[in-house]
Amino acid sequence: MVNNRVTKNGASVATGSPKPLTLILWYGGAIYAQNSAGTWYRNGSPWTAIGTRDPRTNTAYGVLLDTSFGVKGDGKTNDRAALQAAIDGSVGQILMITGQSRIDMKGLDLRGKSHIRFAPGASIKLLPYNAEAYQMIRVWDVDGVIIENAYLDGSKELNASNTGEWGMAISINGATNLTIESPTTINCWGDGIYLDNSCSGSNAYSKNITINNHHAIGCRRQGMSIGSVSGLVLNSPIWENIGGTAPGAGLDIEPDNSATVLENIKIVNPTSKNCSGPGIQIWLSAFAGPTKKNVNISITGHTDVSSKVCAYSVQALRLNGYVVTGSITSASPVWNRPLNQAYLYADWDQAGPTVSVTNPKIVN
């Protein structure tokens, strides 16, 4: 490229661009050039201006295909580097995952305003590994991310290690204004989704998180873990066949330390099935600290089927002179065992948040 011209077969060819060219691209059997104003030109006699839409998009405006960044999606190639390039090159647009990609355990980092959509049948699965921990997709310290229809396979059967419990499909740390629609997370070494404060050292809370229709299957530790969040809506999650290491819960709300919050958490119509631990566990042994806190957790319509320890457990709040107020409620649960076996409430400082279960339905 020289100014507004390209060289083809040794000859300098005018593109008709009034601005200098900044990028030349071979895609789909044609040559394209983009100028400094963002306008694309397609080769021909003469070259033709085609507007500002990237020619690698599909027929829907602003949708970029992962294959245009070199992603193979053939079920065997390590696509991690190409997928990361696709993520980095699609910020502000929709990146469509189209095939059955494999990645190594280094995982993928989403950027602020990333919007990732999985086509029907598309997936990302880990290649064989030997590790106690991984994050397939990291949503760390970014704002405005959207993930749609993700299908993530943590390949627990391919892990050469037999220790650890920290392999996550989606790790959310310090993220804000995040929406995840209909994710499926299977066979993770740890959790399907992990949600906590920032890992950057700022310890910033994750805020305003919405996750709809999460389906976790066969994860070793939890279907989902919550360590800290301010503003969370979980709509109609299903956590099933969870087990392999403790706690083995469908959902575990368990802060690691006192620099955490549990604010404005709404869990609507969750289902836990065949978990080796509780269907839902709330365990607050490390939560109280010098800063006064207010907990607000609302669970409605929880259905549990055959989780081994119990359907619902609330335990281990020790204030030690600190102040934690608020409420933890479970309304209209459906549990398939007697109430005294379904609900475990123990080791709870009565000066802490109120805990209630209302209108439980016990079915055989």
Side-chain angles (χ1 to χ4, degrees):
M1 297 182 296
V2 178
N3 200 14
N4 62 351
R5 303 175 69 88
V6 298
T7 300
K8 182 179 180 182
N9 298 328
S12 179
V13 178
T15 61
S17 170
K19 300 284 186 178
L21 300 176
T22 58
L23 176 67
I24 191 165
L25 170 71
W26 169 265
Y27 178 71
I31 299 172
Y32 298 87
Q34 186 184 41
N35 69 17
S36 59
T39 301
W40 287 91
Y41 292 79
R42 188 180 190 276
N43 73 309
S45 298
W47 282 60
T48 304
I50 61 171
T52 57
R53 183 195 300 183
D54 191 311
R56 293 168 291 186
T57 60
N58 71 359
T59 54
Y61 176 75
V63 178
L64 296 173
L65 302 182
D66 60 350
T67 52
S68 66
F69 294 88
V71 175
K72 300 296 184 185
D74 58 10
K76 56 185 179 181
T77 300
N78 185 352
D79 279 326
R80 184 194 55 77
L83 280 168
Q84 188 62 62
I87 291 165
D88 295 345
S90 62
V91 172
Q93 300 182 80
I94 298 171
L95 174 64
M96 183 75 77
I97 308 301
T98 60
Q100 296 178 340
S101 287
R102 305 294 295 274
I103 63 171
D104 59 55
M105 56 168 286
K106 186 175 180 180
L108 302 166
D109 292 289
L110 299 193
R111 309 305 184 189
K113 302 298 188 290
S114 285
H115 187 160
I116 311 299
R117 178 182 295 163
F118 284 62
S123 62
I124 298 176
K125 177 177 172 65
L126 279 186
L127 290 160
Y129 58 99
N130 184 350
E132 296 184 339
Y134 59 77
Q135 306 90 31
M136 293 183 69
I137 292 180
R138 285 177 290 275
V139 191
W140 287 9
D141 302 301
V142 292
D143 179 75
V145 167
I146 299 173
I147 304 172
E148 298 180 79
N149 305 317
Y151 191 100
L152 303 173
D153 185 341
S155 300
K156 67 182 182 183
E157 76 283 2
L158 301 180
N159 192 356
S161 175
N162 58 11
T163 60
E165 57 189 53
W166 306 285
M168 317 303 184
I170 302 175
S171 177
I172 305 164
N173 295 78
T176 55
N177 302 310
L178 166 67
T179 300
I180 304 179
E181 294 283 351
S182 301
T184 299
T185 55
I186 71 170
N187 298 333
C188 296
W189 196 245
D191 307 341
I193 297 177
Y194 180 81
L195 172 58
D196 209 338
N197 288 349
S198 172
C199 297
S200 67
S202 70
N203 212 39
Y205 310 143
S206 293
K207 297 179 181 178
N208 301 328
I209 312 297
T210 299
I211 303 173
N212 296 321
N213 302 306
H214 175 213
H215 194 179
I217 309 168
C219 299
R220 286 181 71 247
R221 189 176 73 161
Q222 263 85 249
M224 180 172 179
S225 290
I226 300 171
S228 180
V229 66
S230 178
L232 169 67
V233 177
L234 296 181
N235 284 315
S236 302
I238 301 173
W239 311 296
E240 62 179 308
N241 300 330
I242 307 301
T245 190
L251 171 66
D252 182 28
I253 301 176
E254 184 175 354
D256 289 334
N257 57 66
S258 63
T260 52
V261 295
L262 297 171
E263 299 173 346
N264 300 318
I265 298 172
K266 296 181 180 180
I267 305 168
V268 181
N269 295 329
T271 299
S272 47
K273 299 179 181 179
N274 302 317
C275 299
S276 64
I280 294 177
Q281 171 173 278
I282 300 173
W283 186 279
L284 301 189
S285 62
F287 186 62
T291 301
K292 181 180 178 179
K293 299 181 182 182
N294 187 71
V295 172
N296 189 324
I297 301 172
S298 169
I299 305 169
T300 56
H302 173 213
T303 297
D304 181 79
V305 180
S306 301
S307 292
K308 290 184 179 179
V309 171
C310 61
Y312 179 49
S313 170
V314 182
Q315 296 190 75
L317 176 66
R318 305 176 187 108
L319 294 180
N320 298 319
Y322 298 123
V323 177
V324 179
T325 59
S327 65
I328 299 171
T329 64
S330 177
S332 303
V334 179
W335 297 329
N336 72 337
R337 68 184 77 185
L339 184 61
N340 63 352
Q341 298 175 23
Y343 175 39
L344 178 57
Y345 174 56
D347 192 18
W348 191 263
D349 194 318
Q350 295 303 299
T354 61
V355 178
S356 65
V357 174
T358 58
N359 194 32
K361 181 178 180 180
I362 305 302
V363 297
N364 294 323

